[in-house]
Amino acid sequence: METFFFWLTSTISVVSAASILFVARPTRALLALLLSMLCLTVLYTLLHAYFVAIVHLIVYAGAVLVLFLFVIMLQGLGATTLSITKRFNRTHLILTVLAGGVFAGLLTAIFSQAHLPIFKNPEGTVENLGRILFSNYLLPFEMISVLVLLGIFAAMTLAKNEKAAA
Amino acid sequence: MTLTPSPEHYLVLAGILFSIGLFGILLRRNILIILLCLELMFNAANLVLVTASSVHGQMDGQIVAFFVIVIAAVEVTIGLAIAVLLFKEKNTVDTEKITSLKG
């Protein structure tokens, strides 16, 4: 069962992620990424990281991608650009080789080391995670809240400047 | 190589997703799709963190993955605000047409 779900979701996520590269409309790219993220949620659940899976589902699929969708809808058809196949030139070829080189490097790094041990699978429940989050990771947690606050200020300032300019 | 998912399978999957994201950032010229590919790379890194957490039997990787998700949410808010301003200013999302440094 686990094997079946792993291969199913990983195949779907790779195919939909690859389709981001080739579509012209950002809306379709966004929906492809959404599908990819839903598959990743299943993979997190298979790894017994339940809390991360749900946070990923709510924050990414729920909030971030809907924000993207709003922005794309605001921009309308102006957001459409040429697809990748219609503007392929030599610079793109070099960059393709570069990205392929990074991928080859990653694969070598994964397979060059000794065989990884099998999964121990800690239960990623809210209880287990919260205990560590509010003891060992309390300072980073508080700093994250300051960062989120700064993000709100930054977004508000950007929106205000735009109104002043218009 | 067996079919049962092992840590290597998850790491290779994360490597594929990361490379697709990098490929998209380097090759696509639509600023929104560049941001989407950035999210894809964040996700690949998160998958590695959760896999490592499972391999070692410790929760730390999952907590870092949680932090990454929060930071990515902040990053995308500011990135999209800048993208909207850029679109209103230049009326395009093509990074090859956005060439001037001066506003």
Side-chain angles (χ1 to χ4, degrees), chain A residues 3 7 20-21 23 37 43-44 47 56 60 68 75 79 87 95-96 103 116 120-121 129 132 137 162, chain B residues 3 7-8 13 19 23-24 26 28 30 32 39 43 46 54 59-60 62 72 76 85 87-88 93 96:
Chain A
T3 313
W7 288 105
I20 296 174
L21 300 175
V23 295
M37 290 196 174
L43 289 173
Y44 289 148
L47 287 169
H56 184 264
Y60 263 118
F68 261 106
Q75 301 185 340
R87 60 198 305 176
L95 292 174
T96 310
F103 179 55
L116 284 170
K120 286 177 191 159
N121 279 335
L129 242 125
I132 303 177
Y137 289 87
E162 178 237 334
Chain B
L3 277 178
E8 280 92 350
L13 173 65
S19 305
F23 190 83
L26 289 177
R28 293 305 302 256
N30 187 335
L32 290 168
E39 297 300 309
N43 273 306
N46 263 347
S54 276
M59 308 294 291
D60 302 64
Q62 295 184 19
V76 85
L85 287 184
F87 182 71
K88 289 206 168 155
V93 286
E96 270 174 11

Side-chain angles (χ1 to χ4, degrees), chain B residues 23-39:
Chain B
F23 190 83
I25 286 179
L26 289 177
L27 267 79
R28 293 305 302 256
R29 287 291 166 262
N30 187 335
I31 201 159
L32 290 168
I33 292 184
I34 290 176
L35 278 171
L36 281 179
C37 288
L38 200 64
E39 297 300 309

Side-chain angles (χ1 to χ4, degrees), chain A residues 1 8 12 24 28 34 44-45 61 66 74 79 82 89 93 113 117 119 121 134 141 150 154-155 158 161 164:
Chain A
M1 199 65 178
L8 182 72
I12 295 175
R28 291 189 184 159
L34 182 66
Y44 289 148
T45 317
V66 171
L74 272 177
L82 277 177
N89 57 28
L93 192 66
Q113 54 187 322
F119 288 126
N121 279 335
F134 290 110
F141 184 74
L150 282 175
L158 285 172
N161 277 349

Side-chain angles (χ1 to χ4, degrees), chain A residues 133-162:
Chain A
L133 188 61
F134 290 110
S135 56
N136 294 351
Y137 289 87
L138 187 60
L139 185 65
F141 184 74
E142 297 294 338
M143 282 161 81
I144 285 279
S145 69
V146 176
L147 184 76
V148 173
L149 195 67
L150 282 175
I152 296 171
F153 284 150
M156 273 168 59
T157 317
L158 285 172
K160 240 194 175 132
N161 277 349
E162 178 237 334

